[in-house]
Amino acid sequence: LTLKHHTRGLFCFQVPENPSNRNAPVIKDLEDLTNQLEQQLIKDRQRVHYKKEVMIDELWQREQKQLIKLPEKPYPVFKQFLIKFNKYNEFKLDGHLIHVPRARNYVQLSCVTYWDSYKVITNDGEILLSDARPYMRKRRFIPWKEILKDWLKKPRVVGHSRYSIYLPTRIKEYLTVPSLALRKQRINELLTLLLTHDMNGIDQNFYNYIGREAEETEHPYGVNWTEYDALSPKGTEVLNHE
C-alpha cells in the first residue's frame, strides 16, 4: 500500500498496480504503526502537487500558518461503566477475564477505559488496578502478593486458579503438595520472600531460598528438586502473561 497525502491533512491508501512487488508492512504494535505512517506521510510530501505544480511540503508550510493551535492538554476520551464481578473477583473486558484482587472489599467498582488502557476505580476515585487493554498484547503485571493472600485463605484453589499456569514450574510443584497445612506454610514462605524479591528472582535462586531447606526437612509430602529438574528440563520455564 502507498499513502497519498493531501494538502488539507487527509490521506488515503492506494493499492499499487503490481502488489506482488510490494512486501506487507511489519509492525510491532499500534505505536510502531503510528510512527511508520508518520514517516511515510512526511516522505510523501516531497513531491509536486498534481494540480498546483508546487511541492506539497511547501503548501503544507503555508497552511500551517493558518491553523488554530491545538490544546496543550489532550481531551480525555474515555468510557466509564459499573463492573459486575464473578465469584472469583473477575470481570470481562474485551473478551478477557480481568482479576481485581481487592474487589470483594468494595460494594461497587467502576472501570474507566481508554483506547489503549483501563483502570478500575472505587467510588472515591481510588485506583485499584491500571493496565493496558488486553488487545494491546502487552505483558501484564501479575499481583502475586494479593493472589497468594487469597490462596492462603483457600489453599485448595491453588491448582485450579487461572494464575497457577503463570507460576514457574518448580514453584507451582512446590505449592501444589497434597497436604493443605504444608501448602499454607509454603504460601506464607513465598509471601515473605516477595517482600524483597520478585517471582522470577525466587525461581532463579530457588535452591538458595527454598530448595535447600526443603531437601533438609525431608517432609513426607516434599519433592526431591534435584531429581525433579533432571526429569523436567523445562523446570525454569515461565509463561508470559498476556
Side-chain angles (χ1 to χ4, degrees), residues 139-197:
R139 296 183 65 182
R140 289 183 284 165
F141 171 74
I142 302 179
W144 285 119
K145 292 180 182 178
E146 287 76 12
I147 294 169
L148 288 173
K149 288 178 182 178
D150 287 341
W151 289 355
L152 191 61
K153 299 175 182 177
K154 299 179 179 180
R156 293 183 184 274
V157 306
V158 174
H160 309 287
S161 171
R162 63 186 299 266
Y163 288 103
S164 63
I165 62 172
Y166 300 114
L167 283 170
T169 309
R170 275 196 299 254
I171 295 179
K172 180 180 179 181
E173 293 293 333
Y174 185 68
L175 293 180
T176 52
V177 291
S179 170
L180 296 182
L182 182 58
R183 189 178 294 188
K184 292 181 67 174
Q185 177 183 331
R186 291 181 174 183
I187 292 173
N188 260 322
E189 184 180 11
L190 273 178
L191 280 170
T192 302
L193 288 171
L194 284 172
L195 295 175
T196 53
H197 306 83

Side-chain angles (χ1 to χ4, degrees), residues 1-2 14-25:
L1 298 179
T2 302
Q14 179 179 359
V15 179
E17 295 180 1
N18 187 5
S20 61
N21 295 332
R22 301 292 182 89
N23 295 325

Side-chain angles (χ1 to χ4, degrees), residues 68-94:
I68 300 175
K69 185 178 179 181
L70 293 173
E72 295 182 359
K73 296 182 179 180
Y75 181 78
V77 180
F78 64 91
K79 179 181 179 181
Q80 182 171 345
F81 56 90
L82 297 178
I83 301 175
K84 293 182 179 180
F85 289 95
N86 61 19
K87 62 181 180 180
Y88 302 108
N89 292 331
E90 299 171 332
F91 74 99
K92 185 168 287 188
L93 178 65
D94 301 329

Side-chain angles (χ1 to χ4, degrees), residues 8-89:
R8 297 194 178 278
L10 302 176
F11 63 89
C12 62
F13 292 100
Q14 179 179 359
V15 179
E17 295 180 1
N18 187 5
S20 61
N21 295 332
R22 301 292 182 89
N23 295 325
V26 178
I27 62 172
K28 298 178 181 178
D29 47 37
L30 293 178
E31 289 84 354
D32 184 41
L33 174 60
T34 300
N35 294 332
Q36 290 192 37
L37 289 176
E38 181 181 10
Q39 295 303 317
Q40 191 70 13
L41 289 172
I42 293 174
K43 182 179 179 181
D44 190 63
R45 292 204 300 260
Q46 306 305 316
R47 61 184 176 86
V48 178
H49 192 275
Y50 73 99
K51 184 176 181 180
K52 298 185 179 182
E53 298 183 352
V54 180
M55 291 291 291
I56 292 179
D57 187 64
E58 181 179 342
L59 295 173
W60 169 237
Q61 296 300 328
R62 296 177 188 175
E63 287 192 2
Q64 286 191 70
K65 299 178 180 179
Q66 302 177 13
L67 296 177
I68 300 175
K69 185 178 179 181
L70 293 173
E72 295 182 359
K73 296 182 179 180
Y75 181 78
V77 180
F78 64 91
K79 179 181 179 181
Q80 182 171 345
F81 56 90
L82 297 178
I83 301 175
K84 293 182 179 180
F85 289 95
N86 61 19
K87 62 181 180 180
Y88 302 108
N89 292 331

Side-chain angles (χ1 to χ4, degrees), residues 63 101 204 213 231:
E63 287 192 2
Q204 292 172 6
E213 180 181 351
L231 296 174

